Amino acid sequence: DVQLQASGGGLVLHGGALRLSCTASGFTFEDYGIGWFRQAPGKEREGVSCINGRDGTTVYADSVKDRFTISSDNAKKTVYLQMNSLKPEDTAVYYCAARRGLCYSDYADSYYGMDYWGQGTQVTVSS
């Protein structure tokens, strides 16, 4: 069965950094787009970033461009999200998700296109 395990969340001060990890199992990594969503209290779940397992190409939401970097280690079937220059507005539960095929180019609005979801990991950025 397909499993996505997210980890790496925590509490940081504004301007700090965290690295999230999502380890996938139960499917062929190269056939999927794997990425991250986040959901803050009272907000809709928002696509953050996605990487294509087949070629490493990436997409980002405008809100995190130039601050977050997504990468993957195909041998480990792991996707990372390096989050730098964190802001309080980044506070959310971050979810790992995957879909068969490529990442959507408009990733921020791709919630319903994802096929598998992992558990969330809490990221809290204090002022």
Side-chain angles (χ1 to χ4, degrees):
D1 57 324
V2 173
Q3 291 189 329
L4 299 168
Q5 299 287 344
S7 62
L11 173 64
V12 297
L13 298 174
H14 66 272
L18 286 171
R19 188 178 74 160
L20 305 183
S21 298
C22 174
T23 299
S25 63
F27 61 91
T28 302
F29 189 87
E30 291 78 9
D31 293 339
Y32 285 75
I34 307 103
W36 297 92
F37 288 75
R38 65 186 183 185
Q39 188 165 28
K43 305 278 286 186
E44 295 184 22
R45 192 169 296 188
E46 173 193 27
V48 176
S49 186
C50 187
I51 187 166
N52 291 304
R54 67 185 66 184
D55 60 13
T57 55
T58 60
V59 293
Y60 294 91
D62 289 342
S63 60
V64 305
K65 287 181 178 178
D66 302 319
R67 298 189 298 120
F68 293 8
T69 302
I70 193 168
S71 61
S72 64
D73 184 333
N74 287 23
K76 296 181 179 179
K77 293 189 174 183
T78 300
V79 172
Y80 305 96
L81 185 68
Q82 179 66 46
M83 305 185 294
N84 298 326
S85 301
L86 283 163
K87 306 173 182 178
E89 65 193 65
D90 296 317
T91 295
V93 177
Y94 283 69
Y95 297 90
C96 182
R99 71 177 303 272
R100 294 183 295 272
L102 298 173
C103 301
Y104 288 102
S105 57
D106 186 10
Y107 190 67
D109 196 33
S110 63
Y111 172 81
Y112 293 104
M114 309 308 290
D115 297 313
Y116 305 104
W117 291 88
Q119 86 288 3
T121 185
Q122 177 71 48
V123 172
T124 302
V125 185
S126 63
S127 300

